[in-house]
Amino acid sequence: AQTVTQSQPEMSVQEAETVTLSCTYDTSESDYYLFWYKQPPSRQMILVIRQEAYKQQNATENRFSVNFQKAAKSFSLKISDSQLGDAAMYFCAYRNNNDMRFGAGTRLTVKP
Amino acid sequence: DVKVTQSSRYLVKRTGEKVFLECVQDMDHENMFWYRQDPGLGLRLIYFSYDVKMKEKGDIPEGYSVSREKKERFSLILESASTNQTSMYLCASDPSGKNTGELFFGEGSRLTVL
């Protein structure tokens, strides 16, 4: 079974600074999706950013960008200009058809 | 906007009780999922359904069953709740064949079994 590993249970960043959350995954497939989801406290999980494995270009969404290294099976999330509203649990996820796997999550704290 | 609604945000039940967790989505999605979220373990798939009356076991189906009688509604059933089923339960949906891969989540149901 595919696995997704987030090695940082907790991270902290100063407001306006940049932080990088790490994620590695294991798969024998060549075509799949990777995601970062955000779960704010007591609120629903929402998609932050998505990467198709066949695309070499790294996805970006405003202040959020990824570093996708397919050969290394690495998919990190960079948050630039961190804001207080970025404080949340972040989950890395892998999907191939209906097989969707999540990492254990990284709790991000943003300090004012 | 896609809306996935879970009927109860917080529930407290006794050991041995039968528990129903309801989930409704309003976007005509074919696929629906039930996950369990525990600290340090992330989200683990309990069951998913790709059509009415169709279901597939996920990674941790033991102690759970599901029902999908209508396309918009996917119910998770704990036949006899146990304390180790105390957890956050997340429902999600997505449109089959759209190939976007994204799941749309409900707000979660936090279940405590005493």
Side-chain angles (χ1 to χ4, degrees):
Chain A
Q2 280 65 243
T3 58
V4 178
T5 302
Q6 293 178 248
S7 58
Q8 307 151 316
E10 296 183 354
M11 290 284 284
S12 179
V13 63
Q14 205 72 33
E15 195 175 5
E17 297 293 309
T18 296
V19 64
T20 299
L21 308 185
S22 301
C23 174
T24 59
Y25 59 95
D26 180 37
T27 184
S28 57
E29 303 290 338
S30 59
D31 193 18
Y32 49 87
Y33 292 95
L34 295 166
F35 308 85
W36 279 97
Y37 282 90
K38 171 185 178 181
Q39 187 181 43
S42 301
R43 293 178 61 188
Q44 71 193 109
M45 187 117 54
I46 57 172
L47 179 69
V48 174
I49 199 164
R50 169 179 50 232
Q51 175 81 42
E52 291 95 333
Y54 67 87
K55 289 187 177 179
Q56 292 187 335
Q57 187 173 7
N58 289 325
T60 62
E61 287 287 342
N62 301 313
R63 297 182 295 107
F64 298 87
S65 62
V66 299
N67 183 3
F68 173 47
Q69 302 289 328
K70 191 172 184 179
K73 297 178 184 175
S74 170
F75 183 61
S76 61
L77 174 70
K78 186 171 83 171
I79 307 174
S80 304
D81 186 26
S82 297
Q83 300 175 0
L84 295 178
D86 295 333
M89 281 290 288
Y90 286 82
F91 291 94
C92 177
Y94 160 101
R95 184 170 191 178
N96 175 253
N97 294 318
N98 279 331
D99 183 16
M100 186 149 193
R101 304 283 166 170
F102 289 83
T106 296
R107 182 174 302 280
L108 178 66
T109 302
V110 181
K111 296 179 179 178
Chain B
D1 283 349
V2 175
K3 192 162 179 66
V4 180
T5 303
Q6 294 184 230
S7 56
S8 303
R9 291 293 304 276
Y10 301 94
L11 303 94
V12 179
K13 298 291 182 181
R14 296 263 178 214
T15 300
E17 279 192 80
K18 191 169 186 176
V19 182
F20 293 87
L21 300 180
E22 304 284 340
C23 175
V24 177
Q25 50 94 3
D26 66 356
M27 285 301 291
D28 203 36
H29 286 173
E30 287 82 5
N31 296 334
M32 296 188 75
F33 306 79
W34 275 107
Y35 285 90
R36 172 176 170 159
Q37 181 182 356
D38 298 289
L41 297 177
L43 279 68
R44 293 179 291 166
L45 182 64
I46 304 172
Y47 270 96
F48 76 92
S49 169
Y50 51 90
D51 202 350
V52 175
K53 296 191 186 294
M54 306 303 288
K55 61 185 179 184
E56 294 271 348
K57 291 181 180 180
D59 297 320
I60 52 165
E62 297 79 18
Y64 304 94
S65 62
V66 290
S67 171
R68 193 163 181 204
E69 297 296 320
K70 294 184 178 181
K71 192 175 185 180
E72 67 271 19
R73 187 180 297 269
F74 191 35
S75 302
L76 179 69
I77 303 154
L78 288 66
E79 294 288 342
S80 178
S82 63
T83 54
N84 62 13
Q85 292 178 309
T86 292
S87 187
M88 170 71 86
Y89 292 88
L90 297 179
C91 176
S93 73
D94 84 329
S96 173
K98 280 287 181 81
N99 239 13
T100 62
E102 177 186 359
L103 293 187
F104 297 87
F105 285 89
E107 290 188 323
S109 298
R110 184 168 294 281
L111 171 66
T112 300
V113 183
L114 302 176

